Amino acid sequence: MLHFLVLILCVVGAVRAEDPYRFFTWNITYGDIYPLGVRQQGILINGQFPGPDIYSVTNDNIIINVFNNLPEPFLLSWSGVQQRKNSFEDGVYGTTCPIPPGKNFTYTMQMKDQIGSFYYFPSLAFHKAAGGFGAIRILSRPRIPVPFPEPDADYTILIGDWYKANHKVLQSVLDSGKMLAFPDAVLINGNGGNNTQFTVEQGKTYRLRISNVGLRNSLNFRIQGHSMKLVEVEGTHTVQTMLSSLDVHVGQSYSVLVTADQPPQDYHIAVSTRFSSPVLTSTAALHYSTSQTPASGPLPLAPEDVQWSLNQARSIRTNLTASGPRPNPQGSYHYGQINVTRTIRVGNTPGLVNRKQRYAVNGVSFVAADTPLKLADYFNIDRVFRVGSIPDSPPVARDIRLDTAVMGADYRTFVEIVFENRENIMQSWHLDGYSFFVVGMDGGSWTPDSKKQYNLQDAVFRSTTQVYPKSWTAIYVALDNVGMWNLRSEFWARQYLGQQFYLRVYTPVKSTRDEYLIPSNALLCGRAAGRS
């Protein structure tokens, strides 16, 4: 009898120990949207533009059944969600087969050891210019302390530049070998006019989760008459800094706290493009619940120079004493004491190939293979890609060649990646599957002596970093997640025209301890079709 009771208790304990599941069903359709007051064709999720928020808690299992009702293939990717041991679910063409028209696919992923603010987006073709994006929030587990009082409410704010033209027209311009014109507007939660408001009550504090889901431009965010307290960056609790405005570069996400401590009326929220001519500005309203007075007066001014933005970026640091997704302090991982085993220099360049505009990383402009790279790797399909088809550093010559660029890397190594931007543009880079320490950034050219100015104590830990014009940014990353991971420019036209590659993090040990098996429902396409 005692043995029977012990068995029952063990079973009950195992059931209780399993992490919760959250289920979603999404229907992807085209529909009419009016972000700029005129009808456009947008990509809707369950009839919504932008798409619905994903609410989750650390370690939740997220099950999303996506029905593709578009007349073309479709994929969703999850910016900042690390897909631990499971790059099959990453949702970019290098890892996942597209969902055919009229078919469905169920994404199964875990928010393993993560907290924070992220977003999802459509990764194929130029769908991102039509919508299909939305916010992801991962809350801390109830017993894990958070380094600020629980806010009275939590708002999603999706900002981004926007074109009036249909996404297929934009794609055809790129396919013809030309570059896109400057965007037409900036949207705030899908609206380009002063049509969005966030209601607050006097004396209460609110968390704003701000993500730049746009196509190319850095954006400055500010609220008339109110300060913002920075508390989180892409899953990392930060040193809490008071800000009058915040630069959010394309692909990035931030959380700020705002207290409604002003007289009860409406106040302008302004979002403007940075380092651009012309400057595009969109507005929303911070609406006090008892206000009868619309927002008035001049918009709060945005800073003008690059140096201001660089100084702000350097000031964003990890809160070493705060808990992250686990109860241990974020500063318990002493990244500055780990030996770097490899330095990878990443240089972005433009150029012409066959008289058409292309963009390259280290002289290689990416072209997609006929089979997702992860599937080709898993099934040992020859001649889909070659590891080492992109060098570790920019070549001396500025020539560009086309290739399916894959860089090899060993599992459990600790590497330095230096992004070198010799162009007079703003760049932003994202690495799927990982967060990394942004240890340094500065103007001019990077040299080994630049390491002397690295922050080896409390660098911010994130998955998307900016690189200023004619400047460099250095990151440290522990390659502890086996898989095929996309490293790409978030300047979306450049990404589309080749400014990306895949980092194959490899171990010869075939064990589910290091990497999960291919999902049983995985779509198989290209030369992987028909395999089991």
Side-chain angles (χ1 to χ4, degrees):
M1 183 66 178
L2 179 61
H3 292 294
F4 177 75
L5 288 175
V6 170
L7 178 62
I8 292 295
L9 289 172
C10 288
V11 170
V12 170
V15 170
R16 287 180 177 171
E18 186 173 11
D19 294 306
Y21 282 76
R22 296 176 187 265
F23 295 89
F24 303 83
T25 299
W26 285 359
N27 288 294
I28 311 300
T29 60
Y30 280 130
D32 291 340
I33 58 174
Y34 298 83
L36 303 179
V38 296
R39 187 175 67 177
Q40 291 183 249
Q41 183 189 62
I43 293 177
L44 311 181
I45 301 178
N46 293 349
Q48 298 179 46
F49 168 77
D53 285 4
I54 294 177
Y55 294 84
S56 63
V57 176
T58 301
N59 292 345
D60 278 358
N61 295 287
I62 304 299
I63 314 297
I64 306 178
N65 193 0
V66 178
F67 288 82
N68 177 20
N69 295 302
L70 303 184
E72 66 256 20
F74 184 77
L75 268 181
L76 285 168
S77 191
W78 322 91
S79 183
V81 177
Q82 293 178 3
Q83 310 288 2
R84 302 295 300 178
K85 304 193 292 184
N86 197 13
S87 63
F88 296 105
E89 303 280 2
D90 198 36
V92 290
Y93 182 69
T95 63
T96 313
C97 287
I99 307 171
K103 302 295 183 180
N104 71 299
F105 174 71
T106 300
Y107 290 90
T108 301
M109 51 193 171
Q110 187 180 28
M111 305 311 198
K112 181 66 175 174
D113 290 337
Q114 287 194 265
I115 57 171
S117 308
F118 308 98
Y119 68 94
Y120 60 87
F121 66 95
S123 61
L124 284 188
F126 217 62
H127 285 155
K128 193 180 179 187
F133 45 73
I136 301 171
R137 60 181 67 176
I138 310 175
L139 305 180
S140 296
R141 289 171 289 177
R143 294 185 180 181
I144 305 297
V146 175
F148 50 86
E150 184 175 354
D152 294 285
D154 195 327
Y155 285 123
T156 288
I157 303 182
L158 302 178
I159 57 178
D161 48 16
W162 187 259
Y163 287 92
K164 292 179 181 178
N166 183 280
H167 70 96
K168 292 184 179 179
V169 173
L170 299 174
Q171 183 179 349
S172 68
V173 171
L174 296 173
D175 288 342
S176 71
K178 299 176 182 177
M179 192 51 191
L180 299 180
F182 195 71
D184 297 299
V186 171
L187 303 189
I188 303 174
N189 283 0
N191 289 296
N194 191 21
N195 300 319
T196 303
Q197 69 176 27
F198 302 91
T199 300
V200 298
E201 295 183 27
Q202 193 169 30
K204 293 187 175 182
T205 297
Y206 298 83
R207 182 173 183 169
L208 309 182
R209 298 175 186 263
I210 308 163
S211 294
N212 185 339
V213 297
L215 299 171
R216 60 181 281 178
N217 280 287
S218 300
L219 299 172
N220 181 266
F221 182 93
R222 55 208 184 273
I223 305 175
Q224 183 183 28
H226 292 73
S227 296
M228 302 176 287
K229 181 185 288 186
L230 180 67
V231 294
E232 179 252 332
V233 174
E234 294 164 20
T236 297
H237 290 131
T238 63
V239 172
Q240 296 180 13
T241 308
M242 298 304 297
L243 306 172
S244 58
S245 69
L246 174 65
D247 276 354
V248 186
H249 305 279
V250 63
Q252 293 185 340
S253 298
Y254 291 86
S255 281
V256 298
L257 299 180
V258 175
T259 299
D261 56 3
Q262 298 301 306
Q265 63 180 57
D266 288 7
Y267 294 87
H268 291 299
I269 297 174
V271 180
S272 301
T273 55
R274 294 283 272 135
F275 325 118
S276 70
S277 180
V279 174
L280 302 176
T281 300
S282 188
T283 59
L286 189 71
H287 170 69
Y288 280 62
S289 59
T290 60
S291 170
Q292 301 296 319
T293 307
S296 61
L299 297 179
L301 295 176
E304 294 183 359
D305 59 3
V306 171
Q307 190 62 46
W308 182 95
S309 185
L310 177 61
N311 290 342
Q312 181 179 81
R314 287 169 168 166
S315 74
I316 298 173
R317 297 174 292 130
T318 294
N319 183 338
L320 297 180
T321 60
S323 296
R326 297 185 178 185
N328 50 302
Q330 294 180 139
S332 59
Y333 184 79
H334 301 290
Y335 69 92
Q337 299 176 15
I338 302 174
N339 290 328
V340 172
T341 57
R342 179 182 179 187
T343 295
I344 301 168
R345 295 167 52 213
V346 172
N348 50 269
T349 52
L352 297 178
V353 177
N354 300 325
R355 300 183 180 179
K356 289 187 175 183
Q357 182 67 58
R358 297 291 299 187
Y359 295 93
V361 180
N362 291 355
V364 183
S365 186
F366 184 86
V367 289
D370 60 4
T371 304
L373 309 181
K374 183 59 190 171
L375 298 185
D377 205 17
Y378 186 84
F379 290 116
N380 295 314
I381 302 172
D382 292 334
R383 296 187 296 278
V384 174
F385 68 89
R386 180 176 60 86
V387 176
S389 49
I390 179 173
D392 273 21
S393 59
V396 175
R398 293 298 185 95
D399 295 338
I400 289 177
R401 61 182 174 85
L402 304 179
D403 206 339
T404 304
V406 176
M407 183 180 292
D410 292 331
Y411 180 45
R412 290 182 175 167
T413 55
F414 192 76
V415 304
E416 172 187 39
I417 301 177
V418 182
F419 298 102
E420 301 180 14
N421 180 15
R422 299 173 183 174
E423 300 178 71
N424 194 29
I425 62 155
M426 194 75 201
Q427 264 286 16
S428 192
W429 291 94
H430 176 86
L431 175 59
D432 283 352
Y434 288 94
S435 290
F436 45 71
F437 297 95
V438 184
V439 293
M441 55 178 66
D442 204 354
S445 298
W446 180 89
T447 69
D449 276 349
S450 303
K451 296 172 184 280
K452 296 176 182 177
Q453 60 178 284
Y454 283 5
N455 176 358
L456 300 181
Q457 300 295 324
D458 58 359
V460 70
F461 188 58
R462 65 186 315 167
S463 57
T464 306
T465 188
Q466 71 273 32
V467 190
Y468 291 94
K470 297 186 179 300
S471 300
W472 58 268
T473 294
I475 66 172
Y476 282 176
V477 56
L479 298 180
D480 58 358
N481 194 12
V482 174
M484 188 77 70
W485 303 109
N486 189 222
L487 195 157
R488 62 179 175 267
S489 171
E490 290 288 338
F491 193 137
W492 211 242
R494 285 175 167 249
Q495 175 273 153
Y496 181 81
L497 292 178
Q499 208 150 73
Q500 59 172 307
F501 67 93
Y502 282 82
L503 187 68
R504 179 184 184 250
V505 180
Y506 176 76
T507 175
V509 178
K510 302 298 182 184
S511 169
T512 53
R513 180 193 62 189
D514 300 328
E515 184 177 30
Y516 295 139
L517 300 175
I518 188 171
S520 59
N521 69 328
L523 299 173
L524 301 179
C525 57
R527 282 189 269 163
R531 305 211 176 210
S532 61

